[in-house]
Amino acid sequence: MKYCPQCEQTKKIEEFGKNRARSTGLANYCRSCHNRVSSEAKQRLYGGQRSYLLKTRYGLTGAQVDELTARQGGICVLCLRDPAAHVDHDHYTGVVRHILCFPCNGGLGQFDDNPRRLYEAADYLEERTWYVRLLRLELGTSRISSSALRAWREETYPGSFERRTAEAVARAGLTSRGKPRVRWGLDAADIEDLVTIQQGGCAICVDRPAEHVDHCHETGAVRGMLCGGCNTGMGQLRDDPAVLRRAIDYVLGLLVKEVPDGRGGTRLSFTEPDVDPESVPEGGWEPHRLADAAFRKGERDKEGVRDSWIGDPVEV
């Protein structure tokens, strides 16, 4: 039993939290009193739980976050789709950048705020990357399918098709009523072969293990084997090359700019063509998002010389 000086009651020690700084190893107040006292202190000193967290984590008040959100027009500066709700900061410097939606904030973290990985991910989606050439050299096509992988297996390991298939299925433990379980049109042996072609590395970042089958959520077509971070980050950034290219400029500090507002002050600008975020009505961002995506695709197409060795993504 332990006495709580706040409620002046003696209670079971299970009703007290842990505190290693005290000789007893227990908090001074019971849990219910501790929570109430903490809540009152946060309300008195910071104005509430939200402001307390913002101040301790990012050095901002709730009013400052609300002001920044309003300057953004209430929209996530990356995807231009969802409401801005989460404070984003540079994990190296701790500097607050802007307010993002939850998926975009998480997607940046999955890519480690790394511009190179974001660049490769955008090229990967548009079939402009080294991975396209690799598939064409190995499979004779950039389209991954069970038939293409089985042809590669028979050519690379002649006479061992059935044995390698059975061994792969046994290693993966993927069976359904005695037959190999098939997902995305590939069985365990197909997936193993694809990892072998990629030399075990992620098709985007290369330096992490290829562990997840990546596929287009619209067509179901398999695109490659990715590491966990790249696979999750792609999904959170909506498999959208335009969002990925905006993310590159964002982490480099080039996306969001301060421009004159025509009234002697400044405003934010983060789209091409430029638009005043505070002038866009709620639900009115879609045409600006599409225009920005078209602009960034046009800018990327100007870099075609870099991709001349890949060529257009056509079936071989």
Side-chain angles (χ1 to χ4, degrees):
M1 307 293 286
K2 186 180 184 318
Y3 177 74
C4 172
Q6 183 66 26
C7 61
E8 300 181 342
Q9 295 183 35
T10 301
K11 301 182 177 181
K12 295 181 179 179
I13 60 173
E14 288 81 3
E15 296 188 43
F16 292 79
K18 305 290 185 181
N19 187 342
R20 290 186 296 178
R22 299 183 63 83
S23 60
T24 62
L26 298 172
N28 195 31
Y29 297 159
C30 65
R31 283 193 174 90
S32 59
C33 289
H34 176 82
N35 293 339
R36 179 174 53 79
V37 169
S38 296
S39 178
E40 291 173 353
K42 290 171 185 176
Q43 184 66 41
R44 183 178 68 256
L45 297 174
Y46 299 98
Q49 175 75 4
R50 174 175 179 262
S51 293
Y52 166 75
L53 293 174
L54 290 172
K55 193 66 176 178
T56 54
R57 291 179 182 177
Y58 308 114
L60 298 176
T61 65
Q64 288 173 318
V65 172
D66 292 340
E67 180 185 358
L68 182 54
T69 302
R71 294 190 73 203
Q72 294 180 195
I75 201 73
C76 170
V77 298
L78 272 193
C79 66
L80 303 177
R81 283 189 176 102
D82 295 335
H86 294 264
V87 177
D88 173 58
H89 70 289
D90 187 312
H91 291 83
Y92 295 101
T93 66
V95 174
V96 170
R97 292 185 288 211
H98 293 280
I99 316 299
L100 306 180
C101 65
F102 178 77
C104 285
N105 194 32
L108 285 181
Q110 293 292 341
F111 281 111
D112 297 328
D113 285 2
N114 187 320
R116 180 190 67 82
R117 289 179 65 193
L118 291 164
Y119 193 98
E120 290 294 340
D123 278 2
Y124 168 83
L125 286 172
E126 294 178 337
E127 297 192 358
R128 298 175 184 264
T129 183
W130 60 270
Y131 187 62
V132 174
R133 186 178 185 222
L134 174 66
L135 291 177
R136 290 178 179 167
L137 288 173
E138 295 289 345
L139 301 181
T141 176
S142 61
R143 303 290 185 262
I144 298 170
S145 66
S146 182
S147 58
L149 287 166
R150 293 185 180 200
W152 175 87
R153 190 184 319 157
E154 186 59 38
E155 180 180 354
T156 307
Y157 307 99
S160 61
F161 176 85
E162 296 296 340
R163 176 178 59 80
R164 284 179 56 81
T165 300
E167 290 174 351
V169 171
R171 279 192 293 272
L174 301 177
T175 60
S176 177
R177 297 182 181 178
K179 297 181 180 179
R181 185 181 300 170
V182 177
R183 193 175 183 187
W184 308 290
L186 306 180
D187 61 22
D190 297 330
I191 293 172
E192 276 197 6
D193 289 340
L194 187 53
V195 172
T196 300
I197 290 171
Q198 297 180 196
Q199 300 183 47
C202 170
I204 290 178
C205 69
V206 181
D207 53 358
R208 298 184 182 185
E211 299 173 328
H212 299 269
V213 177
D214 172 53
H215 69 290
C216 175
H217 291 81
E218 293 183 1
T219 66
V222 173
R223 292 184 293 220
M225 296 292 297
L226 304 181
C227 67
C230 288
N231 191 44
T232 303
M234 289 260 289
Q236 290 179 314
L237 295 178
R238 298 163 177 79
D239 284 1
D240 188 337
V243 176
L244 286 160
R245 298 199 190 287
R246 287 179 62 82
I248 295 167
D249 286 346
Y250 178 78
V251 298
L252 293 175
L254 303 174
L255 180 69
V256 186
K257 309 180 187 72
E258 291 272 358
V259 299
D261 63 2
R263 302 185 297 273
T266 62
R267 63 170 176 82
L268 295 183
S269 172
F270 46 82
T271 58
E272 294 287 351
D274 175 46
V275 62
D276 182 352
E278 295 185 75
S279 70
V280 180
E282 185 176 355
W285 277 97
E286 187 62 9
H288 302 294
R289 185 187 71 79
L290 295 175
D292 185 88
F295 169 82
R296 293 179 191 282
K297 185 177 187 305
E299 289 296 300
R300 182 64 184 86
D301 289 342
K302 292 178 183 178
E303 303 174 20
V305 173
R306 175 182 179 273
D307 306 314
S308 61
W309 57 274
I310 295 179
D312 295 328
V314 296
E315 193 74 21
V316 175

